[in-house]
């Protein structure tokens, strides 16, 4: 009954002797979308990085000025790239973990096409300046309605699959997926409540600081439940698979799961430190952010210690390399985050490029590298072929790693520099650099370094896409490349 | 060792409870997760709707945006200006020297959506109103380098070609009124009249520097919005200062919940 090769799509259903056939076609669809949107989203990222280094790059075209393109970047990388990666991994792993086909093939397809449709609508409306202005909730209200509908469809499919599972116990990856499905629904609906004025414009039901608090409750938990918990779920399934080791500690996974989902929700106000938000709310945001370090590192340790006994393979296997770097960056950015949530540190970091450095150490390091690791593992298992260019995976790894280092280090340097210079006073107690632009100009070299790092990261992603294309389309014979899994089935 | 075995190994009571009760029951697990994520949300957000909270977010020296300012604000949102410009001055000496008095909660009371911003690629705009003449903004938005050599801000030439539509602005005003902004006259005619009256003033002020522009050009609405930012606060703080200098020692300014107290 246990799968003999990880690529197997059929598993005998216990007690019935009837083979369950997994729906891998839907997994391949999400997989393809994830790879395509990765390239698009990162290309837009490189474009806005160029505009910050050299403003004329917008060529005077309204649709691609910084203010209109930046939301396209964030939406494309979060909802299109990271979103499709999560769906790929969830549809693939949950069928296997629960030993059943997805609840409904029709709902799976509505979910897929609905989600891609939403992304296309986003790519059209955002450059046209149609936006609600709330970060990561920019999409206009009719698209928000579509998102809610598609999300509910996904939810029905998800819980329907759980209901008809052939395995009694829910594996830890499923817990994390579940927190993703539930929390994103709640966040999305509450944050987007608005009164429509026209088909493309609406005004929120909340005003002023209440609106700001609701938005950052949403914004921080979009990070928590879109870029963190589903990826931890992916880590819990694919890291043991790739390493061929069982998860290090079951008890640790219970503790850090519940602590993480409980604590995350409180931390939103760390985005509003030193605003006129009441002190008690700011303090709660700060204290809970600091506490968040513990469950975050619990997850990191559980991931890294799973590799116990497999470290020799980490040196040679690019998939494990991607995953190890991902988990390490997860640890790093969840150490940095709580530090930045301390008021006096935030006084320096807020509004600066430091935040951008933090964002991308999480986004490029954790989300991106985890995705790449999973995608390289999946392409060989889904299509049952070895990579067309095995060496390229290694080149991709190094391009991405060096790219992240250039990106984050330059942004930390720029952030510290501007933070210190904005506040520096001279002996007379007056501003040492009163002209804002003087400070902006000193940051320019860092903007070029970031652009270089981003371009390297993008190049790696393009190599991956070509590699996958040639693997899938190439003449390669069907083989079972990855050996027998031991854990998590 | 399989994962199953690993699971069974757990000897602690919570491990057994988790395994037997929660992991075997998807619905119960989902409910427990929902409860876990709801507590923090309720504790932090619900008080924002209490009457005390709503009262510290209000002040009578702040008025709603005029229709022209609403139109300008919508352009500000459309162009993503808030991605480079914050509207939040923190209570720190360096910030107040650079941008002016720190921002009070009440100053945001009519902001739908809020536009505090999270990045400062350009300067804070909370109190930019009145800092420059209208003509400065007119030149700056067309080519930021003309007023600020070496600026990295984009040019916005299309604001000088595109026009706002009074009927469309009226729809925004009505939606804002539905959301709770206290507008009294929201019909098309009143909104159009208010737009015209305010736009004409800006056109006239620009004409003194021999700039010719139509009153319904988008740039006029944007200038109206920029020129209003923070002005009510400035006026209020000046009045307060004048009063306290008459009546000896100054009580602390602003709301009792005022943060931090500066550096
Ligand atoms: C090729 C790679 C990338 C490049 C060159 C890039 C570049 C940029 C730039 C220039 C900004 C605006 C920074 C600013 O406002 O000063 C930005 C913002 C952002 N990017 Fe990326 N990016 C890349 C990949 C990604 C990925 C993969 C993700 C997420 C999975 C991501 C998530 C974000 C987010 C969330 C923001 C908004 C940050 C904030 O509001 O503080 N980026 N990116
Ligand atoms: C324990 C975990 C974490 C904590 C406590 C934390 C804390 C923070 C803090 C204090 C800020 C700065 C807010 C500001 O001053 O504007 C921030 C910004 C941000 N963080 Fe984290 N962080 C954590 C983990 C992560 C991870 C893992 C990611 C990405 C996958 C991430 C993505 C972001 C994003 C996108 C922003 C920018 C939001 C914006 O201004 O638009 N964070 N975080």
């Amino acid at each position: 009954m246990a799968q003999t090769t990880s690529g197997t799509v059929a598993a005998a259903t216990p007690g019935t002797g009837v083979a369950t056939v997994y729906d891998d076609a839907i997994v391949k669809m999400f997989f393809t979308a994830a790879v395509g949107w990765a390239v698009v989203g990162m290309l837009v990222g490189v474009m806005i990085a160029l505009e910050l280094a050299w403003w004329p790059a917008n060529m005077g075209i309204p649709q691609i000025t910084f203010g209109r393109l930046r939301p396209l970047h964030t939406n494309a990388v979060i909802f299109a790239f990271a979103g499709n990666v999560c769906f790929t991994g969830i549809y693939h792993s949950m069928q296997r973990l629960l030993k059943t086909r997805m609840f409904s093939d029709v709902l799976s397809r509505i979910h897929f096409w609905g989600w891609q449709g939403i992304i296309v609508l986003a790519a059209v409306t955002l450059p046209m300046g149609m936006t609600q202005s709330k970060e990561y909730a920019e999409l206009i209200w009719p698209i928000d309605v579509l998102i809610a509908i598609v999300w509910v469809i996904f939810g029905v499919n998800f819980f329907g699959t759980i209901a008809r599972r052939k395995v009694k116990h829910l594996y830890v990856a499923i817990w994390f997926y579940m927190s993703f499905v539930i929390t994103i629904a709640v966040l999305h609906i509450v944050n987007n409540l608005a009164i429509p004025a026209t088909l493309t414009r609406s005004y929120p039901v909340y005003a002023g600081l209440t609106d700001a608090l609701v938005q950052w409750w949403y914004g921080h938990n979009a990070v928590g439940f879109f870029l963190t918990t589903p990826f931890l779920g992916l880590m819990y399934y694919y890291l043991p698979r790739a390493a061929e080791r069982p998860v290090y500690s079951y008890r640790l996974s219970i503790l850090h799961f519940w602590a993480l989902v409980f604590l995350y929700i409180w931390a939103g106000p760390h985005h509003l430190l030193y605003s006129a938000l009441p002190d008690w709310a700011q303090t709660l945001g700060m204290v809970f952010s600091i506490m968040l370090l513990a469950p975050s590192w619990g997850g990191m340790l559980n991931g890294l210690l799973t590799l116990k006994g497999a470290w020799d393979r980490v040196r040679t296997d690019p998939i494990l390399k991607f995953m190890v770097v991902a988990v390490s960056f997860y640890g790093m950015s969840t150490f940095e985050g709580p530090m930045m949530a301390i008021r006096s540190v935030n006084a320096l970091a807020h509004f600066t490029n430091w935040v951008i450095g933090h964002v991308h150490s999480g986004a490029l390091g954790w989300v991106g590298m985890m995705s790449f690791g999973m995608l390289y593992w999946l392409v060989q298992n889904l299509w049952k072929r070895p990579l067309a260019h095995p060496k390229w995976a290694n080149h991709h790894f190094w391009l991405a790693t060096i790219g992240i280092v250039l990106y984050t280090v330059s942004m930390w340097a720029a952030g510290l520099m501007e933070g210190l210079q904005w506040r520096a006073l001279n002996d007379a107690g007056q501003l040492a650099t009163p002209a804002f632009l003087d400070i902006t100009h000193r940051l320019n070299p860092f903007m070029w370094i970031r652009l270089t790092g981003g371009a390297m990261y993008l190049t790696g992603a393009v190599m991956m896409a070509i590699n996958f294309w040639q693997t899938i389309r190439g003449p390669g014979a069907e083989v079972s490349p990855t050996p027998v899994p031991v854990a998590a089935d | 060792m399989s994962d199953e075995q690993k699971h069974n190994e757990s000897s602690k009571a919570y491990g057994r409870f988790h395994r037997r009760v929660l992991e075997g029951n998807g619905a119960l697990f989902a409910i427990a997760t929902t409860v876990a994520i709801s507590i923090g949300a309720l504790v932090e957000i619900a008080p924002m709707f209490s009457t005390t909270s709503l009262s510290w977010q209000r002040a009578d020296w702040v008025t709603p945006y005029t229709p022209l300012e609403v139109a300008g604000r919508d352009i500000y949102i459309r162009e993503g200006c808030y991605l480079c410009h914050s509207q939040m001055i923190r209570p720190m000496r360096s910030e107040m020297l650079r941008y002016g008095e720190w921002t009070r909660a009440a100053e945001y009371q009519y902001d739908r959506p809020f536009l505090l911003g999270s990045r400062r690629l350009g300067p804070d705009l909370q109190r930019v109103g009145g800092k420059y003449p209208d003509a400065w903004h007119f030149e700056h938005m067309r080519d930021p380098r003309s007023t600020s050599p070496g600026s990295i801000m984009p040019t916005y030439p299309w604001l000088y070609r595109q026009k706002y539509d009074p009927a469309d602005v009226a729809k925004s005003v009505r939606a804002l009124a539905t959301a709770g902004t206290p507008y009294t006259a929201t019909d098309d005619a009143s909104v159009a009249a208010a737009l015209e009256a305010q736009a004409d003033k800006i056109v006239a002020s620009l004409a003194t520097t021999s700039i010719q522009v139509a009153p319904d050009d988008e740039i006029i609405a944007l200038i109206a919005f920029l020129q209003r930012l923070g002005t009510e606060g400035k006026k209020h703080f000046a009045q307060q200062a004048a009063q306290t200098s008459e009546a000896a020692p100054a009580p602390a300014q602003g709301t009792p919940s005022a943060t931090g107290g500066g550096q």
Side-chain angles (χ1 to χ4, degrees):
Chain A
M1 187 175 73
Q3 290 172 258
T4 45
T5 65
S6 2
T8 318
V9 291
T13 302
T16 62
V18 178
T20 307
V21 180
Y22 297 144
D23 181 5
D24 276 349
I26 189 72
V27 182
K28 290 179 180 175
M29 287 159 78
F30 276 118
F31 179 100
T32 314
V35 176
W37 292 124
V39 173
V40 174
M42 289 169 198
L43 185 67
V44 180
V46 169
M47 182 65 191
I48 57 175
L50 175 64
E51 289 180 2
L52 290 183
W54 185 63
W55 74 268
N58 67 38
M59 297 177 283
I61 302 168
Q63 287 78 10
I64 62 166
T65 48
F66 181 79
R68 297 203 193 177
L69 218 47
R70 189 189 192 270
L72 183 63
H73 165 61
T74 56
N75 279 272
V77 287
I78 298 176
F79 299 112
F81 165 54
N84 278 305
V85 164
C86 294
F87 301 141
T88 307
I90 290 176
Y91 277 86
H92 175 261
S93 64
M94 88 180 286
Q95 298 188 73
R96 284 155 175 86
L97 284 169
L98 303 177
K99 295 222 171 18
T100 183
R101 196 179 171 90
M102 289 305 292
F103 173 66
S104 156
D105 286 6
V106 175
L107 291 185
S108 298
R109 268 134 199 96
I110 298 178
H111 176 199
F112 176 82
W113 289 109
W115 195 256
Q116 312 315 317
I118 288 164
I119 296 166
V120 171
L121 286 174
V124 173
T125 54
L126 290 173
M128 288 170 75
M130 295 173 184
T131 170
Q132 299 190 125
S133 89
K134 290 181 163 195
E135 279 186 80
Y136 325 128
E138 288 90 350
L139 299 174
I140 52 176
W141 70 267
I143 306 181
D144 284 339
V145 173
L146 273 179
I147 294 176
I149 295 171
V150 172
W151 202 265
V152 168
I153 288 170
F154 170 43
V156 170
N157 208 10
F158 180 86
F159 283 106
T161 309
I162 289 182
R164 59 184 245 179
R165 69 186 185 276
K166 311 265 164 49
V167 175
K168 179 153 187 277
H169 296 287
L170 298 173
Y171 177 64
V172 49
I174 304 285
W175 316 344
F176 280 97
Y177 300 159
M178 201 189 278
S179 72
F180 167 59
V181 178
I182 294 173
T183 314
I184 294 301
V186 175
L187 294 171
H188 174 74
I189 292 169
V190 175
N191 190 39
N192 283 301
L193 291 178
I195 312 283
T198 67
L199 188 64
T200 59
R201 203 163 56 237
S202 62
Y203 298 94
V205 299
Y206 320 101
L209 278 180
T210 306
D211 193 33
L213 183 65
V214 172
Q215 151 63 19
W216 283 116
W217 164 75
Y218 165 90
H220 176 70
N221 291 302
V223 168
F225 291 87
F226 214 104
L227 299 181
T228 299
T229 57
F231 282 88
L232 282 168
L234 300 181
M235 175 189 90
Y236 273 114
Y237 185 79
Y238 292 98
L239 183 75
R241 279 308 184 87
E244 298 166 39
R245 310 281 315 155
V247 167
Y248 171 69
S249 166
Y250 167 64
R251 259 185 273 148
L252 182 57
S253 63
I254 298 180
L255 286 178
H256 99 96
F257 171 79
W258 288 106
L260 197 76
V261 295
F262 175 73
L263 295 176
Y264 236 111
I265 285 286
W266 296 74
H270 68 218
H271 291 271
L272 295 168
L273 297 179
Y274 287 101
S275 72
L277 196 72
D279 269 338
W280 63 264
Q282 297 194 27
T283 306
L284 278 181
M286 169 173 129
V287 170
F288 276 82
S289 301
I290 295 167
M291 291 197 286
L292 209 40
L293 176 65
S296 302
W297 277 41
M300 170 188 74
L301 289 175
N302 223 1
L304 288 181
L305 291 175
T306 296
L307 292 164
K308 219 171 52 177
W311 282 100
D312 51 322
R313 289 193 38 227
V314 173
R315 274 195 294 275
T316 50
D317 181 353
I319 294 176
L320 285 180
K321 279 201 261 191
F322 275 116
M323 290 184 178
V324 167
V325 168
V327 178
S328 308
F329 268 101
Y330 177 63
M332 218 222 61
S333 52
T334 56
F335 175 75
E336 184 186 28
M339 295 306 116
M340 292 169 78
I342 297 171
R343 266 187 142 152
S344 51
V345 180
N346 193 266
L348 181 64
H350 191 52
F351 292 136
T352 70
N353 281 296
W354 184 352
V355 178
I356 303 303
H358 162 70
V359 170
H360 288 86
S361 81
L364 304 179
W366 161 238
V367 172
M369 298 300 256
M370 196 66 216
S371 305
F372 299 147
M374 181 194 89
L375 294 171
Y376 277 107
W377 189 87
L378 267 178
V379 75
Q380 305 178 61
N381 282 273
L382 280 174
W383 279 273
K384 300 186 199 66
R385 292 167 182 195
L387 278 179
H389 310 282
K391 280 203 184 124
W392 284 21
N394 207 35
H395 300 331
H396 177 189
F397 171 79
W398 285 108
L399 273 172
T401 306
I402 298 169
I404 300 172
V405 172
L406 289 179
Y407 195 125
T408 53
V409 172
S410 63
M411 288 300 99
W412 288 326
L416 271 177
M417 203 168 117
E418 64 186 330
L420 290 171
Q421 296 190 4
W422 285 344
R423 62 151 71 153
L425 302 178
N426 60 22
D427 293 340
Q430 295 303 310
L431 291 173
T433 318
F436 186 91
L437 265 182
D438 286 350
I439 301 171
T440 307
H441 290 153
R442 290 175 202 146
L443 304 178
N444 190 260
F446 298 111
M447 297 294 146
W448 287 105
I449 299 173
R450 183 254 305 271
L451 177 64
T452 312
M456 288 173 74
Y457 197 86
L458 171 67
T459 308
V462 172
M463 285 175 74
M464 175 184 80
I466 297 173
N467 203 350
F468 287 175
W469 177 264
Q470 297 189 343
T471 303
I472 296 167
R473 286 302 163 95
E478 292 225 337
V479 293
S480 339
T482 316
V484 192
V486 283
D489 217 37
Chain B
M1 184 176 8
S2 81
D3 186 64
E4 293 287 297
Q5 282 168 308
K6 197 88 195 169
H7 275 191
N8 291 332
E9 243 178 73
S10 172
S11 53
K12 288 262 164 63
Y14 69 81
R16 285 201 304 274
F17 169 79
H18 200 270
R19 177 131 186 94
R20 293 211 191 116
V21 181
L22 282 174
E23 283 171 39
N25 188 333
L28 197 62
F29 204 104
I31 292 169
T33 307
T34 311
V35 171
I37 61 151
S38 300
I39 298 171
L42 289 172
V43 171
E44 284 180 354
I45 296 175
M48 295 298 279
F49 297 95
S50 70
T51 40
T52 39
S53 159
L54 291 177
S55 69
W56 65 254
Q57 290 194 54
R58 299 249 192 291
D60 54 10
W61 43 271
V62 184
T63 58
Y65 295 98
T66 65
L68 192 61
E69 290 156 7
V70 167
R73 200 168 191 270
D74 282 340
I75 295 166
Y76 186 92
I77 291 170
R78 183 187 76 200
E79 300 302 340
C81 312
Y82 63 91
L83 291 166
C84 284
H85 293 290
S86 56
Q87 288 183 30
M88 174 180 136
I89 305 171
R90 296 178 291 176
M92 304 166 185
R93 182 172 163 76
S94 56
E95 296 247 322
M96 309 225 291
L97 283 172
R98 199 178 285 281
Y99 304 118
E101 188 61 28
W102 62 275
T103 317
R104 306 301 199 273
E107 296 184 73
Y108 297 127
Q109 66 180 314
Y110 298 118
D111 283 16
R112 290 174 202 268
F114 78 98
L115 291 174
L116 275 71
S118 67
R119 280 290 282 128
R120 272 186 194 152
L121 284 154
D124 189 278
L125 297 183
Q126 174 71 35
R127 304 209 185 282
V128 80
K131 181 176 173 186
Y132 303 107
D134 292 350
W136 188 92
H137 290 293
F138 190 88
E139 295 304 336
H140 181 250
M141 294 306 302
R142 184 153 55 190
D143 178 11
R145 264 64 51 193
S146 66
T147 54
S148 319
S151 177
I152 60 159
M153 182 165 138
T155 56
Y156 291 94
W158 54 92
L159 301 180
Y160 302 73
R161 293 192 297 268
Q162 292 172 191
K163 309 212 174 267
Y164 60 83
D165 169 17
D168 203 44
V169 179
K171 285 183 193 151
S172 297
V173 171
R174 284 194 288 272
L176 283 164
T178 310
T181 313
Y183 289 116
T184 42
T186 60
D187 58 298
D188 282 8
S190 318
V191 169
L195 284 169
E196 202 182 316
Q198 196 180 358
D200 285 347
K201 278 193 214 145
I202 297 172
V203 170
S205 104
L206 288 172
T208 60
T209 47
S210 55
I211 293 171
Q212 298 303 320
V213 57
D216 57 351
D217 280 350
E218 285 187 340
I219 184 66
I220 298 294
L222 186 61
I223 292 176
F225 172 66
L226 291 173
Q227 290 292 40
R228 114 134 218 186
L229 285 176
T231 48
E232 291 178 326
K234 264 190 253 184
K235 210 166 80 194
H236 174 73
F237 303 133
Q239 274 170 7
Q240 250 191 356
Q243 275 164 17
T244 49
S245 64
E246 281 162 23
Q253 274 190 348
T255 58
S257 58
T259 58
Q263 276 191 293

